[in-house]
Amino acid sequence: MTIVLMITVLAVFLTMALALVRAFKGPTNYDRILAVNVFGTKTVLVVALIVFITGHDDLVDVALVYALINFITVVAVLKLVKMRDLAASREGDITDG
């Protein structure tokens, strides 16, 4: 069981490294944003693996909060890239209310 967990952790770290490479190389802003989102998702997975390995259930809350912050940040950055202003709204924008 321990060997499987170690291989899983190494695989997650490998995918995090690949996501960082994509974040730095791009070539577009959307590639970079997607790579940062993947990195954040993998971070949540690493925290979940730490919870499973150590048995500290308190960290599940940290993983959930981190996942929410990651999602909100990606949505905000995508809106910023698309509209060049977070407060701007256009016709048909889902944030019009």
Side-chain angles (χ1 to χ4, degrees):
M1 186 72 168
T2 305
I3 294 173
V4 172
L5 287 174
M6 295 306 290
I7 292 172
T8 304
V9 169
L10 290 175
V12 170
F13 282 134
L14 177 66
T15 57
M16 289 173 82
L18 292 173
L20 279 179
V21 169
R22 175 54 65 191
F24 286 120
K25 289 181 78 172
T28 66
N29 286 334
Y30 296 109
D31 292 331
R32 292 183 173 103
I33 293 168
L34 179 64
V36 169
N37 190 18
V38 167
F39 190 84
T41 304
K42 298 301 179 186
T43 303
V44 171
L45 185 58
V46 166
V47 172
L49 284 171
I50 290 171
V51 167
F52 186 75
I53 291 170
T54 63
H56 290 103
D57 295 336
D58 303 343
L59 293 176
V60 172
D61 296 335
V62 173
L64 291 174
V65 169
Y66 190 83
L68 286 173
I69 291 171
N70 185 34
F71 173 74
I72 292 169
T73 303
V74 167
V75 170
V77 170
L78 283 172
K79 183 174 181 181
L80 182 66
V81 168
K82 182 178 179 184
M83 298 197 170
R84 303 286 180 205
D85 186 8
L86 284 178
S89 64
R90 293 183 188 160
E91 196 168 308
D93 187 14
I94 61 171
T95 60
D96 283 343

